[in-house]
Amino acid sequence: SQQGEEDPQALSIQEGENATMNCSYKTSINNLQWYRQNSGRGLVHLILIRSNEREKHSGRLRVTLDTSKKSSSLLITASRAADTASYFCATDGGGATNKLIFGTGTLLAVQP
Amino acid sequence: EAGVVQSPRYKIIEKKQPVAFWCNPISGHNTLYWYLQNLGQGPELLIRYENEEAVDDSQLPKDRFSAERLKGVDSTLKIQPAELGDSAVYLCASSPRGVQSDNEQFFGPGTRLTVL
């Protein structure tokens, strides 16, 4: 079963706007990762944030993590049409293995 | 560096037929994963290998699904017999290190299975 729930399920914005996606999870974690999946393609790793970190940046991506609320957010700034994809958060379930438990995903559509 | 390779990309079969998917991970990656992804959902782990050993197969429906990674490199996932509900995308992924929890996973393009 899925661990994470993402919100919103779908998001449509105009090019240049910012997009924010939220993820909630159920168990303790060591880290949380975000992945992107373009239509018909495999998943691509975007960013990893560890449980002792609160915020992390990578290019136009900003991830926050609140372990007390068991939630994370992914912000994409100055969105582009090429950002159109599904975005998934994934946690390790707090174990000592490299198992990933994925959320249900947010479908982002960026209109040119 | 070549990515994770999967074949076939698409497969259409009739129910009760067998089907097999093949995965070649990134060279040097010890850990290999098979995931199932239903439409509109995130991937769900079926089985994880550390080298040739299946270390987590708790989500693999063993009555009809089997997997192998005989030489610790490429892997095959088989379904026999296939059922209508098996229609999904089967993703293979690999990661470079062993038992560590901060591994990025590298995914192949997946095999889209349609069972008629």
Side-chain angles (χ1 to χ4, degrees):
Chain A
S1 63
Q2 305 281 345
Q3 160 160 261
E5 295 290 335
E6 267 132 300
D7 168 52
Q9 289 188 334
L11 178 62
S12 181
I13 60 174
Q14 295 295 124
E15 214 167 18
E17 294 180 340
N18 296 341
T20 300
M21 290 158 270
N22 303 296
C23 165
S24 60
Y25 56 91
K26 298 177 182 176
T27 69
S28 62
I29 63 171
N30 296 306
N31 65 67
L32 183 145
Q33 302 182 38
W34 284 89
Y35 284 78
R36 181 186 69 215
Q37 185 175 39
N38 296 96
S39 177
R41 299 179 62 180
L43 286 96
V44 175
H45 177 265
L46 295 176
I47 194 167
L48 179 151
I49 186 166
R50 292 187 168 78
S51 60
N52 61 354
E53 297 176 312
R54 291 297 168 258
E55 187 171 313
K56 199 164 185 179
H57 297 255
S58 176
R60 295 185 295 112
L61 305 180
R62 172 178 169 256
V63 170
T64 63
L65 179 64
D66 187 336
T67 54
S68 67
K69 295 181 179 178
K70 291 187 169 58
S71 67
S72 174
S73 67
L74 172 68
L75 168 68
I76 304 174
T77 60
S79 64
R80 305 167 182 168
D83 295 329
T84 295
S86 290
Y87 292 81
F88 296 90
C89 68
T91 67
D92 61 353
T97 69
N98 47 16
K99 176 177 180 175
L100 284 181
I101 304 169
F102 284 84
T104 52
T106 292
L107 178 59
L108 172 66
V110 181
Q111 309 298 331
Chain B
E1 178 181 82
V4 176
V5 178
Q6 290 188 250
S7 68
R9 290 293 309 276
Y10 304 91
K11 189 73 176 178
I12 301 173
I13 62 172
E14 295 190 345
K15 63 181 181 182
K16 300 184 181 180
Q17 294 300 306
V19 65
F21 314 124
W22 176 80
C23 172
N24 191 28
I26 293 173
S27 177
H29 283 195
N30 298 324
T31 310
L32 183 146
Y33 315 77
W34 283 102
Y35 289 88
L36 177 153
Q37 185 176 22
N38 288 305
L39 187 64
Q41 298 292 316
E44 298 182 56
L45 181 69
L46 290 173
I47 189 168
R48 176 170 63 92
Y49 283 92
E50 297 288 346
N51 299 305
E52 65 274 9
E53 181 182 0
V55 296
D56 184 354
D57 63 355
S58 57
Q59 301 302 312
L60 190 72
K62 298 181 184 62
D63 57 336
R64 296 184 301 106
F65 286 65
S66 64
E68 60 183 16
R69 193 185 185 198
L70 293 176
K71 297 183 179 179
V73 181
D74 56 349
S75 175
T76 303
L77 177 69
K78 297 178 182 178
I79 308 174
Q80 183 170 11
E83 296 179 352
L84 295 176
D86 296 332
S87 295
V89 176
Y90 292 84
L91 294 168
C92 179
S94 67
S95 61
R97 294 192 297 270
V99 181
Q100 300 210 21
S101 65
D102 61 349
N103 277 341
E104 168 187 351
Q105 293 186 18
F106 296 80
F107 283 81
T111 296
R112 182 176 296 277
L113 174 67
T114 302
V115 182
L116 303 176

